[in-house]
Amino acid sequence: MAAAPVWSVDPRTGKQREQVAVEATAQEVDEDVRAAHAARGALADRTVRAAFLRTAADLLEGAKEHLVEAADAETALGPVRLTGELARTCYQLRAFADIVDEGEFLGVVINHPDATATPPIPDLRRYKVPLGVVAVYSASNFPFAFSVAGGDTASALAAGCPVVVKAHPDHPGLSELVASVVRRAAAQHDIPDGVLGLVHGFEAGVELVKHPLVSAAGFTGSVRGGRALFDAAAARPAPIPFHGELGSLNPVVITEAAAAERAEAIGTGLAGSMTLGVGQFCVKPGLVLAPAGAAGDRLLKSLTDAVSDTEAGVLLDHRMRDNFVAGVAERAGLPDVDAPVTPGAGGEHTVSAGFLTVSAQKLVAEGEYDLLLEECFGPVTVVARYEDEAEANAVLARLPGNLTATVHLSAEEEAGEGRGAEILAELTPLAGRVVVNAWPTGVAVAPAQQHGGPYPATTSTSTSVGGTAIERWLRPVAYQNAAEALLPAELRDSNPLGLPRRYNGRLER
């Protein structure tokens, strides 16, 4: 693997700004993974790692001005958006520290012997242990929250797993800065630098997922790149869990009654959701099933007015811009596809928001219109006009897995009259999060959150957002007939750590 310079690039001009690092060689990847592997013991104490996570949050907040400036220079996402994202990142770190302190994630279960059971039950004690070194592949569109110190890294460290991050090429300078802050936090708790490794380069990412000391991987990115890494993880002599977020269309169903009730509000809300962040959100609504007829026409007029007022924006890099411009042109070129507001190039470095319309009947059968059922990254959505419920259902039946699925219902339908519950049941198999009378953009960091869905949205059934994201980096182990003196403290009858547990069938908190 030949080393090559890694440049920071200004997305507003496409010009190189400065050399940040060099692409990691195979030897350097190996060194980073081995250093991470050697740092496992430093994370064994839950009190230490919870304090480490909180210190990392404090130091990131303290460097906010510098970090946001660096992030904006490399992503053009703007100080307001980036300041909010950094705050979310710090909140995640502290939330996982709380989870570590509580200890419920360990899943402690103790069964004493019961000779009267059939078959007899021996002494069994079960809890969860860290998998080992985790490889994290940063996302382009969330340079803080899904990057070096983002949710994958925070949850892995909380589980007791050291991390090696493959930096995203769209923000290499920021990646280096964030890694240095997290390592400073580690040093304050006598945790070695190796607890967080950072590598650059495509080949380094491939080497990382193949390394025998890497025990699991988390990825956020494209279907093509994620599937290649997923296949590599499965093809190893010892396959590893690969938790990938690959792509999502995020369908929206608008009932005829909802459109009749509030067409203008729905159209305006859709415009805001699909253009938020220049359409660079993984939960952007990419396909909207809207009714034909007068109510649907009112909705489209509202959408047209709102999208027309949206200013051109900068995508994260010129490759994405080129893909967006080509992608919308190919879709708009299909027969009987209209563009009430034409998406595409807004200038030499910007893109303009827009949307396409088509009869839902065109999407019912396999054919050239399948392109409209594929994610197009950027500020565009497809509005498919359906004539009746059967036509809308036929389109839904053709969709792959998604992160979200949304339905807009009338007040009566939301109250349980009509097909509201039936539509929710139809959407549930399609997505990990079903949204009612709201929009999918905005993923709350909350204990009940599910950010993941059927393939290709993700490659596992787990979530990458919320407290249960920690479960990805743990495995259960049970001890049978082990003497008290031999057991880890978490599994002793006296419960010296005060952990919540299920003890002989009774839940203890």
Side-chain angles (χ1 to χ4, degrees):
M1 187 192 305
V6 175
W7 296 90
S8 175
V9 176
D10 186 343
R12 297 174 177 89
T13 64
K15 294 180 179 179
Q16 293 177 343
R17 295 174 60 247
E18 58 193 26
Q19 183 176 335
V20 174
V22 295
E23 294 188 0
T25 64
Q27 179 179 345
E28 288 167 336
V29 172
D30 178 66
E31 290 170 355
D32 272 23
V33 173
R34 292 187 181 281
H37 186 72
R40 290 173 302 154
L43 294 177
D45 188 317
R46 287 189 301 116
T47 301
V48 169
R49 66 179 188 257
F52 164 40
L53 292 171
R54 292 190 178 100
T55 300
D58 292 343
L59 295 183
L60 288 168
E61 280 184 343
K64 175 176 65 176
E65 185 175 344
H66 184 38
L67 293 175
V68 168
E69 181 182 5
D72 188 42
E74 290 186 319
T75 68
L77 288 174
V80 174
R81 152 75 194 274
L82 291 165
T83 299
E85 189 186 330
L86 179 57
R88 165 187 170 148
T89 303
C90 295
Y91 174 82
Q92 285 183 144
L93 288 162
R94 294 187 177 110
F96 279 113
D98 291 342
I99 288 169
V100 172
D101 281 339
E102 290 166 359
E104 187 173 0
F105 74 98
L106 294 169
V108 176
V109 182
I110 295 176
N111 285 128
H112 286 159
D114 184 355
T116 66
T118 305
I121 296 174
D123 188 275
L124 286 169
R125 295 154 191 259
R126 182 186 192 268
Y127 79 142
K128 296 175 183 176
V129 297
L131 286 175
V133 178
V134 171
V136 169
Y137 294 80
S138 295
S140 61
N141 55 340
F142 280 89
F144 289 119
F146 282 85
S147 190
V148 175
D152 285 349
T153 297
S155 57
L157 292 173
C161 297
V163 173
V164 179
V165 177
K166 190 272 179 186
H168 196 279
D170 280 350
H171 35 82
L174 177 67
S175 298
E176 289 287 341
L177 289 173
V178 172
S180 69
V181 172
V182 175
R183 288 170 183 150
R184 282 198 288 117
Q188 291 189 21
H189 300 280
D190 295 323
I191 298 173
D193 281 357
V195 75
L196 180 66
L198 181 67
V199 298
H200 298 266
F202 175 82
E203 292 297 333
V206 175
E207 291 291 333
L208 187 57
V209 80
K210 292 180 178 179
H211 197 287
L213 292 180
V214 168
S215 299
F219 171 91
T220 304
S222 68
V223 173
R224 182 180 177 183
R227 183 55 194 255
L229 291 170
F230 174 77
D231 290 345
R236 292 169 35 133
I240 59 172
F242 184 89
H243 301 284
E245 181 188 322
L246 310 188
S248 185
L249 193 61
N250 305 300
V252 177
V253 177
I254 301 167
T255 68
E256 187 171 3
E261 185 178 86
R262 56 181 197 285
E264 289 75 17
I266 292 174
T268 302
L270 172 58
S273 184
M274 59 159 281
T275 63
L276 186 66
V278 202
Q280 297 175 110
F281 284 86
C282 52
V283 290
K284 179 204 76 176
L287 175 70
V288 181
L289 286 163
D297 291 343
R298 286 168 45 217
L299 190 156
L300 283 192
K301 182 182 185 307
S302 174
L303 178 62
T304 299
D305 292 344
V307 174
S308 297
D309 288 340
T310 303
E311 294 183 2
V314 178
L315 293 184
L316 289 158
D317 63 38
H318 273 243
R319 174 185 58 82
M320 291 180 186
R321 180 185 180 276
D322 292 345
N323 288 342
F324 174 76
V325 171
V328 295
E330 186 178 5
R331 288 163 172 79
L334 292 170
D336 301 315
V337 171
D338 295 322
V341 182
T342 304
E348 186 178 357
H349 304 292
T350 61
V351 296
S352 293
F355 69 97
L356 309 175
T357 61
V358 67
S359 166
Q361 184 59 42
K362 300 288 187 182
L363 306 178
V364 169
E366 185 175 347
E368 61 182 334
Y369 292 92
D370 284 0
L371 181 62
L372 300 177
L373 302 180
E374 297 178 10
E375 180 184 16
C376 186
F377 193 73
V380 65
T381 195
V382 174
V383 180
R385 305 289 299 273
Y386 65 86
E387 295 291 340
D388 52 37
E389 295 169 359
E391 197 169 80
N393 291 342
V395 176
L396 291 176
R398 299 201 59 232
L399 299 185
N402 292 271
L403 293 169
T404 71
T406 297
V407 60
H408 279 266
L409 304 170
S410 68
E412 286 189 357
E413 289 170 327
E414 190 174 19
E417 299 182 23
R419 295 186 61 249
E422 184 180 336
I423 295 173
L424 257 65
E426 290 165 354
L427 294 178
T428 297
L430 291 177
R433 178 163 58 104
V434 179
V435 182
V436 180
N437 286 353
W439 297 103
T441 40
V443 183
V445 182
Q449 186 58 271
Q450 173 60 31
H451 189 64
Y455 184 86
T458 52
T459 59
S460 72
T461 59
S462 302
T463 179
S464 59
V465 179
T468 55
I470 196 173
E471 295 172 1
R472 298 174 294 170
W473 321 120
L474 299 162
R475 70 173 181 88
V477 59
Y479 293 90
Q480 181 172 330
N481 291 346
E484 180 92 357
L486 303 179
L487 289 168
E490 292 85 350
L491 297 180
R492 293 178 183 173
D493 283 333
S494 59
N495 197 8
L497 303 180
L499 294 170
R501 62 184 185 175
R502 186 166 292 279
Y503 189 77
N504 289 326
R506 188 179 71 256
L507 186 63
E508 295 181 346
R509 293 189 178 280

